[in-house]
Structure formats: C-alpha cells, structure tokens
Amino acid sequence: MLGIENDEVLEDLEELTERIFAPETLGGFRQLIHMIASVRSISSHSADSIMKDLHFPKYIFDALHNYGFEVDDKSINKEYYRNSYHKGWCSEYPFYVVLLKSHEYQFTIKSCELLAAFIKHYYSVLDTLRDKELARESSTREEDACANFRLFMKTNVAEFNSVREAIPKTPLDTPMSIANQLDKYLNDQEHWPYLAHKNYLRMLSHFFSNDWKSPKHISRKRLPFERVPKRYAEPIAVPIVGAHDDIFTLIPNESLIPNSEGLDEDDQYVTQHVIYTRARS
C-alpha cells in the first residue's frame, strides 16, 4: 500500500540495524519500538529527533508498533521480544544496550530531551569514543559513556531526579552547553551521599564536552624486602603408637619429593618419619 518494493524495505532495515549496532539476532529489538512510543507520548519533538538520528523510517516504526511480530521459529520470536541483554553485550554493543534497556528509564519531558541529545551527540563523537589511545585498561570510552548514561537514566535517586528535571534547559542546547550545566550542578553540590552518583555525572560531562584524556597507569613501587614478619602455622603432629606420650611424628604440609630432582619414582626406600619430642616442664 505504501508503494515500496521489498528490496527497499530490506535496505532501510539493514541501514537501521547497522546504525544502532544491533546484534545479528536482533535480540531485544522490540524494546526500541517501545522506547520510541514512550518518548513520543511525552515529547514528540524528542521522538522525531531520535528517529532521525537512528535513521529509523517512520513506515517501519508504524508497522512494528501497530502490528505484532511473529515467525515460525520460536527462538527468533523470543529474541525479538527479549528485554535483557546477553553476557558481553555491554562491551560489544554498548549503545544498543542503552536502547534495549530504555524500558527501565525514568522518562520525563526533560529526560526525553536529554536522551535525544545523548543519541545525537553519540554519533558525532563516535570516533573519539572508540579511540584506543583514550581507552582504559578495562573499557573503551564508548562503554564508559553508554554505561554511565544508562545507569543515570534508570536510577531513581534524589540527585539524579533533580538533574533530569533541569538539564538540558532547552531541546536546542548544544552538547557543550549541556556539559557546562552538568559541571555547574556538580560544583554547586558540596556533599553527595554516594560518590558514585557524582562520578556518573562527571563521566557524562566528559562525554558531552568530548574532552576525554588518556588514562594514567600508576605503577606501584614494591619494597625490596618484606617488612611484615612471616607467620608459620603450627606443625601437624600425631602420636606414635607404642611410644612415650611426648614423642610424635610430623606430617609435612608438602610432599617430601617436591620435584623431579629428588628420588626416582621407582625407588623403593621406606619413607622416613620426622620425629620430635615435646619438652617437659
């Protein structure tokens, strides 16, 4: 009815899935439809902005939103409707996880505008986010930005709620303006009940200002010798049958032949016990 050929539809779908870095299984793709619908019910301007930046054709959204999705393969159906991510997706598909977990976000007019601003800015600084020289030992800057934004949007704490109701000031705020607003909010708060919450905002400020710095790897100096006195466990000893009460045999913690430089395996010598006596008072 739209006058669009199948090949055109497939091209549009392929462009969309590549744009959002979706896995081949399209696991959780239904959550993207829910996100657009949720944002549109609050802010049509933000929804339009998000769809434009994701290269999401309206006719595909309308079809997937208004109609059900079902194929003969039940495993594909299950993947399409999943609302959680697979192990490893946070590092392999960090941006897609931001979209997939949107059903957990605290959506308001302002937070919808911030989500739209995050998505738009993400594509403009993607090369920087994936720069290996800026990456930490455990994560890339893309992972850092996406993980912090995802947790910021879902966490329901007083500090975050206040920020989501104040930033950005307008839907047309530039990324640098948003970064300055975050910095101002951080500097105005003298005491934060939980430091990690403050670090989330600081990470988002770096994202919007795109001023990542190479991490400093601090090598810890070790002392040339151990200053802490060593403690030794009490020896394990058992009484010898028929011997005096003060004579025991020791059971070593390690094998008497610790390596191949000792006796050969075919030596038939009887193992010698270590005997010691306890001093009498």
Side-chain angles (χ1 to χ4, degrees):
M1 294 177 62
L2 295 175
I4 301 175
E5 298 294 334
N6 289 344
D7 291 343
E8 295 181 52
V9 176
L10 291 176
E11 289 178 3
D12 288 340
L13 278 172
E14 184 176 1
E15 182 180 0
L16 169 62
T17 55
E18 290 180 352
R19 179 74 169 172
I20 62 177
F21 305 106
E24 292 183 359
T25 62
L26 293 185
F29 193 84
R30 180 65 178 178
Q31 304 309 318
L32 175 59
I33 310 300
H34 281 315
M35 182 195 74
I36 300 295
S38 299
V39 173
R40 188 173 62 175
S41 66
I42 299 174
S43 173
S44 59
H45 180 274
S46 298
D48 292 341
S49 173
I50 291 173
M51 291 183 65
K52 179 181 178 181
D53 292 323
L54 297 182
H55 295 181
F56 201 146
K58 185 177 183 300
Y59 77 91
I60 293 180
F61 169 78
D62 291 339
L64 295 176
H65 177 57
N66 297 328
Y67 298 93
F69 175 87
E70 185 175 356
V71 295
D72 294 336
D73 192 333
K74 293 183 178 179
S75 62
I76 295 180
N77 289 329
K78 184 177 180 180
E79 278 297 297
Y80 177 80
Y81 287 101
R82 106 174 358 259
N83 59 9
S84 60
Y85 50 82
H86 284 295
K87 182 179 180 180
W89 278 15
C90 288
S91 58
E92 191 172 0
Y93 312 109
F95 180 70
Y96 185 73
V97 174
V98 170
L99 305 177
L100 185 151
K101 299 297 289 182
S102 58
H103 64 277
E104 298 180 347
Y105 297 165
Q106 307 290 328
F107 276 138
T108 63
I109 293 179
K110 285 298 181 183
S111 65
C112 288
E113 293 174 353
L114 187 61
L115 174 61
F118 178 88
I119 292 174
K120 181 181 293 293
H121 189 57
Y122 167 81
Y123 289 112
S124 66
V125 297
L126 186 55
D127 289 341
T128 302
L129 294 177
R130 294 185 175 181
D131 190 337
K132 294 182 178 179
E133 294 185 359
L134 298 177
R136 298 189 300 165
E137 290 184 356
S138 59
S139 61
T140 63
R141 294 306 185 182
E142 180 185 13
E143 295 174 57
D144 292 340
C146 290
N148 278 270
F149 183 77
R150 174 166 50 85
L151 295 174
F152 165 76
M153 289 290 288
K154 67 175 285 189
T155 305
N156 187 17
V157 296
E159 293 78 22
F160 285 180
N161 293 341
S162 299
V163 176
R164 285 194 298 261
E165 290 301 314
I167 300 175
K169 293 181 179 178
T170 72
L172 301 178
D173 283 0
T174 64
M176 184 56 68
S177 175
I178 295 176
N180 292 334
Q181 293 170 45
L182 288 169
D183 288 338
K184 184 176 184 302
Y185 189 88
L186 286 168
N187 295 331
D188 288 345
Q189 299 293 325
E190 296 182 358
H191 302 287
W192 288 72
Y194 187 43
L195 183 59
H197 293 164
K198 189 173 184 178
N199 290 336
Y200 289 154
L201 298 186
R202 183 175 291 110
M203 190 75 71
L204 292 180
S205 175
H206 287 306
F207 167 76
F208 281 107
S209 61
N210 196 31
D211 63 348
W212 304 102
K213 296 180 180 179
S214 299
K216 296 180 180 179
H217 302 293
I218 302 175
S219 58
R220 300 182 182 276
K221 296 182 180 180
R222 296 185 178 181
L223 297 176
F225 56 89
E226 184 64 56
R227 296 182 181 275
V228 180
K230 295 183 178 180
R231 299 181 181 273
Y232 298 92
E234 292 292 331
I236 303 175
V238 294
I240 300 176
V241 178
H244 292 287
D245 294 341
D246 59 346
I247 299 179
F248 298 78
T249 178
L250 296 178
I251 300 178
N253 290 330
E254 299 180 357
S255 173
L256 294 177
I257 306 176
N259 52 52
S260 60
E261 297 178 357
L263 296 176
D264 294 335
E265 294 181 357
D266 59 350
D267 284 347
Q268 300 298 319
Y269 295 106
V270 179
T271 303
Q272 180 179 0
H273 291 285
V274 179
I275 307 296
Y276 86 104
T277 61
R278 291 180 176 174
R280 296 181 179 179
S281 58

